[in-house]
């Protein structure tokens, strides 16, 4: 009988960085000479033996030294006839088999003689047995290595494991809610066939709809087209479903799967309203070969209403003299849902898009034969696309000409009220500017001025979108590079004013006048508007706190209730709330918002008061301090 020990001789190799000792390494130190013995009963085939991470499938019969059978996986010895399945390095195993199985070849039968400390008698053994099990006895483990192979562990609890038989093609994998076609058969752990879908047509199902067991769905979600695999699924991942209506009493199922095809179905918004379904595969790899960035696109499309007759309201092949539609993405030239889905298509792909009204024609010019509020469906074929010019190798003048063109598009989108799209144009140019290197002082000055203008246009977009904090941050990027930039101070002042930070706004407007006398008129107009806003806040606050201390103690929580008509009455009559001031007349700068941007979400009246006199209050959470702060506020208002 051979002895399995640690410490076998190794040829000299250069020292490598010492690996951190694992829990298994510490366990293996318990193996001492004579504690684990192996006797070969039947040799296996080949030279390979299992390694860490391999799945091992083996039968095992445990006997006492006088031949009494304690436990077995074999049916002839009282077991279920199902071999044990473990993943070396991941499954909980007794120490003797963890070490001994790595010495076995496929088909080999061996007897392992183990001391108690190498099986279930080990201190802190990770595998539990019944109280009647002879844990303190020396035992024989007759083991047959049925099979071992590389596997992919899908379930963290080893409830789903996949063994690849034939590799597939491509790297795109199916996921919810993709539509899948596959040949599938299912067997129990002892090889009994449960069901088979291997004749006629492949089994068709949609991921995420519980049409197949959860574990099978998890395994198929890791497969590529044409891949063949065995997916081992334990009972906790076997649920009743149309594919497998009976699961009771089944501990484990081995699914043999060949993934024939899958159709990409994308829930673009994540709420089931905008769905893109690929009808014909395109050319290339998703998503690398999709027009994700702004591009010139050529498409044929057919628009249909979602009525019983699927009424066609437009078809480029009929209504456009057979010519495709050409449009530049990122410019709001087609409905938003249409563009979002085309960006996810490959050249030559055909997709069916189902779109809700708010992403179709609710915010876009509606064709005369499309009813208001209609859900629509587009059948789209992406013929091809051209990406924008790469600035690599272009001279500075050509780059700046291209910048002017894109910036002009952004300005148009801003004037059309498409602030998100406009912002994306400006931000794209700013990203590209990271790779532009002016060659002399004149180019450097033009580069700096243009970059500042782009940041200010981004700030204007944020201001229109009610995102004052982001607008301030964009202005700060200009002021970091040019601290005396009057335009940046003005726009940041507007953002401060709309967010209720009146002192900061006043500081920016005053500083603007001190560094640029030509801007004095606009700065004074902004200061006047700032004063009006402060007066409005005070008037509204007086109404809110009027009679506050006349209330009984239990009524103080209602002090903030103000009638909407009273709030409107607080506005100063005769003043135009629009702000048409602009301290720069350069054509390439977006004009400042003609209307006051909405306040940031959650910015109420008390929040504005707090911001205005924030140095006078400290939020402590103590009731007495809150009351004192309130008294101080009333005195200030009155």
């Amino acid at each position: 009988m051979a002895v399995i020990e640690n410490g076998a001789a190794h040829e000299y190799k250069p020292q490598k960085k010492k690996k951190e000792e694992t829990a298994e390494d510490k366990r293996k130190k318990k193996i001492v000479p004579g504690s684990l013995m192996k006797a070969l009963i039947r040799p296996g085939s080949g030279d390979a033996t299992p390694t860490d991470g391999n799945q091992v499938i083996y039968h095992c019969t445990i006997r006492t030294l006088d031949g009494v059978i304690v436990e077995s996986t074999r049916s002839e010895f009282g077991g279920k006839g199902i071999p044990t399945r473990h993943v070396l390095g991941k499954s909980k195993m007794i120490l003797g088999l963890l070490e001994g199985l790595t010495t076995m070849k496929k088909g080999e039968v061996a007897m392992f003689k183990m001391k108690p400390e190498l099986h279930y008698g080990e201190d802190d053994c990770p595998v539990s047995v019944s109280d009647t099990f002879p844990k303190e006895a020396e035992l024989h483990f007759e083991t047959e290595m049925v099979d071992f192979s590389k596997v992919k562990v899908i379930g963290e609890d080893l409830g789903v494991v996949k063994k690849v038989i034939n590799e597939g093609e491509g790297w795109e994998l199916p996921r919810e809610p993709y539509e899948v076609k596959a040949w599938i058969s299912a067997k129990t752990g002892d090889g009994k066939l449960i069901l088979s879908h291997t004749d006629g047509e492949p089994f068709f199902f949609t991921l995420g709809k519980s049409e197949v067991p959860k574990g099978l769905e998890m395994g198929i979600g890791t497969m590529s087209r044409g891949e063949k695999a065995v997916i081992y699924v334990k009972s906790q991942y076997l649920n009743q479903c149309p594919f497998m209506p009976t699961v009771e009493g089944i501990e484990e199922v081995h699914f043999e799967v060949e993934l024939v095809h899958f159709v990409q179905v994308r829930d673009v918004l994540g709420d089931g309203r905008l769905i893109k379904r690929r009808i014909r595969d395109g050319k290339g790899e998703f998503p690398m070969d999709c027009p994700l960035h702004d591009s010139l696109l050529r498409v044929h499309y057919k628009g249909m209403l979602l009525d019983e007759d699927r009424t066609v309201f437009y078809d480029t092949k009929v209504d456009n003299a057979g010519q495709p539609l050409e449009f530049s993405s990122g410019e709001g030239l087609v409905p938003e849902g249409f563009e979002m889905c085309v960006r996810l298509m490959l050249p030559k792909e055909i997709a069916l898009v189902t779109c809700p009204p708010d992403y179709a024609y609710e915010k876009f010019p509606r064709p005369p034969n499309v009813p208001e509020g209609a859900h629509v469906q587009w059948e789209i074929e992406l013929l091809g696309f051209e990406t924008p010019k790469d600035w690599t190798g272009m001279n500075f003048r050509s780059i700046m000409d291209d910048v002017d063109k894109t910036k002009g598009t952004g300005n148009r989108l801003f004037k059309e009220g498409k602030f998100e799209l406009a912002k994306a144009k400006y931000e794209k140019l700013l990203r590209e500017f990271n790779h532009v290197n002016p060659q002399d002082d004149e180019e450097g000055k033009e580069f700096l001025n243009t970059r500042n203008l782009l940041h200010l246009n981004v700030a204007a977009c944020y201001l229109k979108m009610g995102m004052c904090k982001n607008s301030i941050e964009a202005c700060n990027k200009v002021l970091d590079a040019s601290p005396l930039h009057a335009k940046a101070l003005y726009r940041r002042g507007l953002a401060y004013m709309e967010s209720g930070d009146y002192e900061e706004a006043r500081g920016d407007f005053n500083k603007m006048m001190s560094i640029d006398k030509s801007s004095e008129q606009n700065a004074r107009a902004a200061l006047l508007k700032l004063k009006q806003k402060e007066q409005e806040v005070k008037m509204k606050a007086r109404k809110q706190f009027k009679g506050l201390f006349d209330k009984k103690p239990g009524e103080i929580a209602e002090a903030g209730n103000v009638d909407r008509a009273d709030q409107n009455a607080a506005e100063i009559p005769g003043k135009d709330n629009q702000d048409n001031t602009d301290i720069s007349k350069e054509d390439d700068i977006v004009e400042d918002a003609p209307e006051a941007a909405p306040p940031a979400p959650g910015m109420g009246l008390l929040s504005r008061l707090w911001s205005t006199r924030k140095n006078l209050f400290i939020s402590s959470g103590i009731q007495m301090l809150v009351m004192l702060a309130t008294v101080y506020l009333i005195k200030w208002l009155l």
Side-chain angles (χ1 to χ4, degrees):
M1 181 174 283
V3 180
I4 300 179
E5 301 179 11
N6 286 341
H10 297 281
E11 61 182 55
Y12 173 77
K13 292 182 179 179
Q15 281 191 337
K16 295 182 179 180
K17 187 177 179 181
K18 189 175 181 180
K19 291 184 178 179
E20 186 177 346
E21 191 174 42
T22 65
E24 283 191 4
D25 293 333
K26 294 177 181 178
R27 286 183 72 199
K28 289 181 179 180
K29 288 182 178 180
K30 299 177 183 179
I31 303 175
V32 297
S35 61
L36 178 60
M37 310 285 286
K38 174 184 175 182
L40 183 63
I41 299 175
R42 186 184 73 194
S45 59
D47 297 322
T49 56
T51 58
D52 198 43
N54 281 182
Q55 175 177 263
V56 290
I57 301 176
Y58 62 94
H59 273 295
C60 187
T61 300
I62 306 173
R63 295 183 175 91
T64 62
L65 296 188
D66 55 4
V68 177
I69 295 176
V70 178
E71 189 178 89
S72 180
T73 59
R74 296 185 181 279
S75 56
E76 60 266 33
F77 297 132
K80 295 181 179 180
I82 301 174
T84 301
R85 208 170 41 79
H86 280 142
V87 178
L88 296 177
K90 294 185 179 293
S91 298
K92 295 179 180 179
M93 299 176 64
I94 61 172
L95 182 53
L97 286 180
L98 181 63
E99 183 74 5
L101 290 173
T102 60
T103 70
M104 298 184 69
K105 298 174 182 178
K106 192 174 296 185
E108 179 181 325
V109 179
M111 180 74 77
F112 294 101
K113 182 180 179 182
M114 301 183 198
K115 296 286 186 183
E117 59 269 23
L118 265 65
H119 57 72
Y120 302 98
E122 177 192 2
D123 292 339
D124 299 322
C125 180
V127 186
S128 60
V129 288
S130 66
D131 294 337
T132 59
F133 193 94
K135 294 191 291 184
E136 305 304 323
E138 193 171 346
L139 299 173
H140 283 161
F141 288 73
E142 183 183 320
T143 308
E144 179 187 1
M145 179 62 73
V146 178
D147 190 21
F148 63 86
S149 60
K150 293 181 180 179
V151 292
K152 178 180 179 61
V153 176
I154 299 169
E156 289 296 323
D157 57 358
L158 305 179
V160 183
V161 175
K162 183 185 77 170
K163 171 187 173 182
V164 176
I165 299 173
N166 292 330
E167 297 285 350
E169 298 178 355
W171 67 275
E172 187 179 3
L173 308 177
R175 59 187 178 87
E176 185 179 338
Y178 282 25
E179 296 171 349
V180 174
K181 289 183 179 181
W183 301 113
I184 307 173
S185 63
K187 297 178 180 178
T188 58
D190 58 356
K192 180 181 177 182
L193 184 66
I194 302 174
L195 52 86
S196 177
H197 285 277
T198 56
D199 295 323
E201 289 294 323
F203 185 74
F204 174 85
F205 67 98
T206 301
L207 286 169
K209 291 191 174 181
S210 300
E211 296 173 358
V212 299
K214 181 181 178 181
L216 176 59
E217 191 171 83
M218 290 169 63
I220 289 177
T222 68
M223 298 177 67
S224 56
R225 283 187 180 86
E227 181 179 332
K228 292 183 180 180
V230 177
I231 301 172
Y232 302 87
V233 181
K234 290 186 177 179
S235 57
Q236 64 266 35
Y237 291 97
L238 294 173
N239 54 288
Q240 290 184 337
C241 57
F243 178 81
M244 192 173 174
T246 303
V247 296
E248 289 185 10
I250 301 176
E251 295 183 1
E252 182 172 288
V253 174
H254 301 173
F255 293 98
E256 296 182 8
V257 181
E258 179 182 355
L259 184 55
V260 178
H261 184 65
F262 58 81
V263 174
Q264 187 194 72
V265 181
R266 302 190 70 85
D267 183 354
V268 180
L269 299 176
D271 57 9
R273 298 190 305 132
L274 179 59
I275 301 294
K276 171 187 172 290
R277 183 179 183 275
R278 184 187 288 171
I279 297 176
R280 186 181 75 191
D281 288 343
K283 294 185 177 180
E285 289 288 341
F286 179 88
M288 292 83 72
D289 297 317
C290 296
L292 297 174
H293 304 290
D294 292 350
S295 307
L296 177 63
L297 302 158
R298 297 185 304 280
V299 302
H300 269 306
Y301 80 95
K302 179 166 62 175
M304 298 164 282
L305 301 177
L306 290 179
D307 53 19
E308 292 183 1
D309 300 325
R310 286 293 193 271
T311 304
V312 176
F313 60 83
Y314 193 85
D315 187 345
T316 54
K317 294 180 180 179
V318 176
D319 302 303
N320 200 37
Q323 296 301 309
L325 170 69
E326 288 194 2
F327 69 96
S328 295
S329 58
E331 298 187 8
L333 300 175
V334 296
E336 187 175 359
F338 188 101
E339 180 168 322
M340 290 172 71
C341 292
V342 172
R343 284 177 179 263
L344 299 174
M345 294 178 67
L346 293 167
K348 308 304 179 183
E349 177 185 334
I350 297 179
L352 192 65
V353 174
T354 304
C355 186
D358 52 329
Y359 282 83
Y361 297 108
E362 187 176 290
K363 302 174 183 177
F364 194 83
R366 183 163 47 87
N369 47 353
V370 175
E372 184 177 353
H375 288 70
V376 300
Q377 199 170 70
W378 295 297
E379 184 180 298
I380 307 171
E381 179 182 5
L382 177 59
L383 302 176
F385 65 91
E386 297 174 13
T387 56
K389 292 184 294 184
D390 188 351
W391 288 354
T392 304
M394 293 174 59
N395 60 42
F396 184 78
R397 187 73 269 139
S398 298
I399 290 174
M400 297 310 293
D401 289 343
D402 196 46
V403 169
D404 288 340
K405 180 180 178 181
T406 303
K407 184 150 49 66
T409 301
N411 293 353
R412 173 181 63 79
L413 292 169
F414 184 93
K415 292 174 183 177
E416 293 174 359
K418 299 172 182 176
F419 307 119
E420 187 67 51
L421 290 176
K423 180 173 72 70
K425 291 293 183 184
Y426 304 138
E427 289 179 332
K428 175 180 180 293
L429 291 174
L430 286 168
R431 286 193 300 271
E432 295 296 330
F433 263 27
N434 292 328
H435 309 290
V436 176
N437 298 303
Q439 300 300 310
D440 53 45
D441 291 343
E442 184 177 346
E443 289 184 358
K445 183 178 179 181
E446 182 180 358
F447 175 81
L448 177 61
N449 288 339
T450 303
R451 187 175 63 183
N452 285 343
L453 296 179
L454 289 171
H455 279 305
L456 291 177
N457 286 358
V458 170
C461 292
Y462 276 128
L463 194 58
K464 278 289 192 178
M465 295 160 65
M467 302 171 70
C468 298
K469 180 180 179 181
N470 300 83
S471 182
I472 292 167
E473 290 173 353
C475 293
N476 286 340
K477 292 177 181 178
V478 177
L479 293 168
D480 287 343
S482 307
L484 302 181
H485 200 292
K487 181 77 173 180
L489 288 168
Y490 179 66
R491 189 150 293 157
R492 188 175 72 174
L494 293 177
Y496 275 136
M497 181 167 61
E498 294 307 323
S499 64
D501 294 326
Y502 298 141
E503 292 301 328
E504 288 82 353
R506 183 177 288 104
D508 278 350
F509 295 144
N510 285 329
K511 185 175 181 181
M512 181 180 105
M513 282 193 295
S514 68
I515 63 175
D516 185 1
K517 295 299 181 183
S518 65
S519 67
E520 184 173 350
Q521 181 179 357
N522 289 332
R524 291 194 179 280
L527 286 168
L528 177 61
K529 183 173 182 179
L530 176 62
K531 185 175 181 180
Q532 293 171 0
K533 281 184 170 289
E534 287 183 301
Q535 290 175 347
E536 290 173 14
V537 170
K538 287 185 178 182
M539 291 176 66
K540 291 176 183 178
R542 286 194 182 102
K543 286 185 175 293
Q544 278 189 309
F545 288 95
K546 183 179 180 182
L548 175 64
F549 294 101
D550 295 335
K551 293 182 178 290
K552 298 177 182 179
E555 297 175 340
I556 193 169
E558 300 177 4
N561 293 336
V562 179
D563 186 82
R564 291 186 179 274
D566 291 337
Q567 292 181 359
N568 295 333
E571 297 179 1
I572 300 176
K575 295 294 182 182
D576 188 354
N577 287 328
Q578 292 187 342
D579 175 19
N580 292 307
T581 57
D582 186 1
I583 64 171
S584 173
K585 300 303 178 184
E586 296 181 52
D587 294 335
D588 57 356
I589 303 179
V590 174
E591 293 185 356
D592 285 307
E595 297 178 356
M603 181 62 73
L605 176 60
L606 291 177
S607 298
R608 293 185 178 212
L609 287 171
W610 175 263
S611 178
T612 306
R613 291 293 183 267
K614 62 185 176 182
N615 293 329
L616 301 178
F617 300 101
I618 299 175
S619 179
S620 66
I622 303 174
Q623 185 176 5
M624 183 57 71
L625 291 179
V626 173
M627 290 298 296
L628 289 174
T630 306
V631 171
Y632 188 92
L633 175 62
I634 298 301
K635 289 182 178 179
W636 171 69
L637 291 170
L638 299 177

